[in-house]
Amino acid sequence: MWGGRFTEKPASVMEQINASIDIDRRLWRQDITGSRAHCEMLMRQNIIPRQDGEAILNGLTQIEQEIESGAFEFRRDLEDIHMNIESRLKEIIGEAAGKLHTARSRNDQVATDFRIWVREAATSAMGGIEELRNTLDTLSQTHKDSIMPGFTHLQPAQPVTLGRHLDAYAQMLGRDKTRLEDCARRLNFCPLGAAAMAGTPYPIDRDFTARTLGFEGPIPNTMDAVSDRDFAAEFLFCAALCGIHLSRLAEEIILWSTPQFGFVRLSDQWSTGSSIMPQKKNPDAAELVRGKTGRLNGNLVQMLTMLKGLPLTYNKDMQEDKEFVFDSFDTILLCLEAMNGMLSTATFNTGRMLKSAEDGYTTATALADWLVMNLGLPFREAHHVTGAIVKMAENQNAKLHELDLTDMQKIEKRITKEIYKVLSIR
Ligand code: ARG
């Protein structure tokens, strides 16, 4: 491609460090889409003859079919997806292929392809989130009256319902989705026309290419257009945070499926056994969802670190950007699906949850609130009185609702039998 100035071929390690085709071949569809729009614009603006433009478009269609059918040969020596496609175009249509790159650089080309890719990825990830959210919504409805202990510090705190517990995750996922929407909206501007970085002298129509490719409009500053990858970093953050939400849910499933908790039973489809301990049923999928946050966070940190300190505009460091994004996309989609599969086939042991909610004096706060609301005690004093009642219950080895009224009245004489309304779990 740049033979004019070079007399020697690249060293083989140079080729190895330079080539990105094994990774960026995933951009092939977006690259062809971008080239089509660019070519159409060149024809409309009479920058290239219509005949050449038609030949280019036909050639691109043939390449599309070759890649789809698996017949296309991706070559390392051609570095990246852009050069692979352009080189094949030349084999198919001859010299006219060389006109496609008029008024364009790989810098604005790759930035355009990548934005389109991330935009699509964000949409797919939102779909995955939505599916899991539907499952959580259904479960929350089913369990809107299933009582369980709510925890703080993983100590029994107050009785809640499983419905509300699961809905908390549905809420988090709802925000994860709007974060992706936001990311997709902010990135939706087109780099094409920036060329290498300073724009191009041809009478191009940036509005046309932007519109054709579904962008809001062209990116106003050509240097910004080719050099920022903030959209990719944002996508990685969205994936990482969503992964963290999933990881917290995964952790609960892991805890809840232990015999000690016994709140949930995973289906056989979503469990694994042990090669030595025949009794084992392990929540591997949940553990992997938890474990994969390492990757998701790592990818974000890699992107931020790669970008940090790069002078404007394009630097080859930026070729490293795609691998992180592809990996985070695959990972988050897999985690969402696994979580969905696990939850929709799990059985919750609501009896066990109810029993567990009765342990640990989880209605003590309700008792204190009753003292405030009915006897006018200051909350701190009510807290103190309740503490004494809990201690008494502990000594009698009884639940709060099993205590005698007279015993409670020894601690606070104004307590009435109305108190029992808030002492039982229900
Ligand atoms: N493969 C390159 C990348 O992904 C394409 C852009 C190359 N530009 C350049 N000036 N060498 O970053």
Side-chain angles (χ1 to χ4, degrees), residues 28-96:
W28 71 268
R29 210 180 271 285
Q30 293 72 20
D31 195 64
I32 290 176
T33 305
S35 287
R36 279 194 178 121
H38 181 66
C39 177
E40 268 159 28
M41 184 279 292
L42 294 176
M43 289 193 287
R44 282 166 61 105
Q45 299 297 106
N46 294 317
I47 298 170
I48 62 169
R50 180 147 289 275
Q51 211 185 340
D52 291 336
E54 298 291 353
I56 290 170
L57 292 175
N58 290 335
L60 288 172
T61 300
Q62 183 178 328
I63 292 172
E64 185 175 41
Q65 285 157 0
E66 288 176 1
I67 299 180
E68 260 166 8
S69 72
F72 191 92
E73 190 208 340
F74 291 98
R75 281 171 45 188
R76 259 258 179 101
D77 60 319
L78 291 172
E79 228 184 285
D80 59 21
I81 186 63
H82 323 294
M83 308 273 253
N84 266 270
I85 289 177
E86 191 179 325
S87 154
R88 178 71 188 128
L89 188 65
K90 190 170 175 195
E91 283 172 12
I92 300 171
I93 69 167
E95 290 307 323

Side-chain angles (χ1 to χ4, degrees), residues 107-108 111 191 194-197 222-229 313-314 318:
N107 296 352
D108 58 344
M197 62 124 183
T222 57
M223 295 175 75
D224 178 39
V226 295
S227 67
D228 207 354
R229 293 292 183 268
T313 52
Y314 178 86
M318 289 157 73

Side-chain angles (χ1 to χ4, degrees), residues 140-154:
S140 299
Q141 274 306 312
T142 309
H143 292 290
K144 68 180 188 328
D145 298 319
S146 306
I147 295 169
M148 69 172 288
F151 299 88
T152 62
H153 313 266
L154 201 57

Side-chain angles (χ1 to χ4, degrees), residues 119-291:
R119 186 174 71 192
E120 292 168 356
T123 306
S124 306
M126 285 188 256
I129 289 176
E130 205 40 43
E131 279 176 36
L132 176 56
R133 214 155 64 112
N134 287 338
T135 300
L136 284 166
D137 282 346
T138 308
L139 284 170
S140 299
Q141 274 306 312
T142 309
H143 292 290
K144 68 180 188 328
D145 298 319
S146 306
I147 295 169
M148 69 172 288
F151 299 88
T152 62
H153 313 266
L154 201 57
Q155 302 288 334
Q158 292 179 290
V160 291
T161 61
L162 176 58
R164 198 199 295 199
H165 195 122
L166 294 176
D167 178 65
Y169 286 102
Q171 301 292 330
M172 296 177 218
L173 288 169
R175 289 192 297 277
D176 290 335
K177 192 179 160 207
T178 55
R179 244 184 297 277
L180 281 162
E181 265 161 26
D182 220 30
C183 163
R185 193 165 37 79
R186 203 173 357 262
L187 71 71
N188 206 23
F189 291 86
C190 188
L192 276 184
M197 62 124 183
T200 172
Y202 301 92
I204 56 169
D205 182 349
R206 295 191 72 198
D207 289 315
F208 174 83
T209 37
R211 217 178 325 114
T212 306
L213 295 171
F215 290 105
E216 284 284 304
I219 296 179
N221 184 310
T222 57
M223 295 175 75
D224 178 39
V226 295
S227 67
D228 207 354
R229 293 292 183 268
D230 55 354
F231 62 95
E234 250 188 274
F235 176 79
L236 290 174
F237 173 73
C238 294
L241 189 56
C242 180
I244 281 165
H245 289 151
L246 296 183
S247 167
R248 296 184 71 173
L249 178 53
E251 169 67 10
E252 309 226 60
I253 291 175
I254 293 162
L255 283 172
W256 292 0
S257 63
T258 58
Q260 285 76 6
F261 269 86
F263 287 2
V264 72
R265 242 185 96 85
L266 293 182
S267 73
D268 286 354
Q269 272 187 300
W270 290 96
S271 314
T272 53
S274 155
S275 56
I276 174 169
M277 298 165 283
Q279 86 284 11
K280 288 296 284 287
K281 201 170 160 190
N282 297 327
D284 287 29
E287 291 172 280
L288 286 161
V289 168
R290 186 178 59 180

Side-chain angles (χ1 to χ4, degrees), residues 20 24 79-80 82 106-107 110 229 314 316 318-319 321-322:
S20 57
D24 63 24
E79 228 184 285
D80 59 21
H82 323 294
R106 272 188 301 160
N107 296 352
V110 71
R229 293 292 183 268
Y314 178 86
K316 195 65 176 252
M318 289 157 73
Q319 177 165 280
D321 58 4
K322 289 158 221 79

